[in-house]
Amino acid sequence: MARAKVLAPVDTGRLRASIRVERRSFFGLRQRWTVGSDVDYAPMVNDGTRPHIIRPRRAQVLRFKVGGKTVFAKVVHHPGTRARPFLDRALQDVARNRGYDITQR
């Protein structure tokens, strides 16, 4: 968990503060742990997003700031975001430090 917090990108600190570790179950000597975040945008930060359209849900227009100026728009063509796999890197770092190999199926 500590490594995931170090690697988490920080804007407001909400994502970093939300990272938790939980013991899910154990089988004999094997234990299963979950490290993650309950912040709704955490998967989008870790995995990135494809280009997509954003439309207002409860209002007529979207309102946001660009370069210090307030902008209003009925639709935004978002270019997507690059992945910042802080959880993946934390898992790899901790496993490597403990002598484990991680393989993907």
Side-chain angles (χ1 to χ4, degrees), residues 75-99:
V75 65
V76 172
H77 295 270
H78 193 284
T81 56
R82 69 178 175 84
R84 299 178 77 179
F86 66 98
L87 289 171
D88 301 359
R89 286 201 322 255
L91 174 63
Q92 291 167 351
D93 290 353
V94 170
R96 189 179 320 108
N97 288 340
R98 294 184 181 193

Side-chain angles (χ1 to χ4, degrees), residues 40 54-63 74:
D40 60 344
I54 303 173
R55 298 181 195 280
R57 290 185 182 177
R58 294 183 284 275
Q60 296 284 322
V61 294
L62 298 164
R63 177 180 162 218
K74 289 189 178 217

Side-chain angles (χ1 to χ4, degrees), residues 21-75:
V21 62
E22 180 178 319
R23 187 169 89 170
R24 292 288 185 163
S25 60
F26 61 97
F27 306 100
L29 296 176
R30 292 181 181 230
Q31 296 187 29
R32 180 171 292 173
W33 299 82
T34 301
V35 176
S37 168
D38 61 357
V39 174
D40 60 344
Y41 57 85
M44 293 175 262
V45 173
N46 191 70
D47 303 333
T49 62
R50 292 182 172 177
H52 56 281
I53 294 174
I54 303 173
R55 298 181 195 280
R57 290 185 182 177
R58 294 183 284 275
Q60 296 284 322
V61 294
L62 298 164
R63 177 180 162 218
F64 53 95
K65 292 200 179 231
V66 175
K69 292 187 177 186
T70 302
V71 177
F72 297 92
K74 289 189 178 217
V75 65

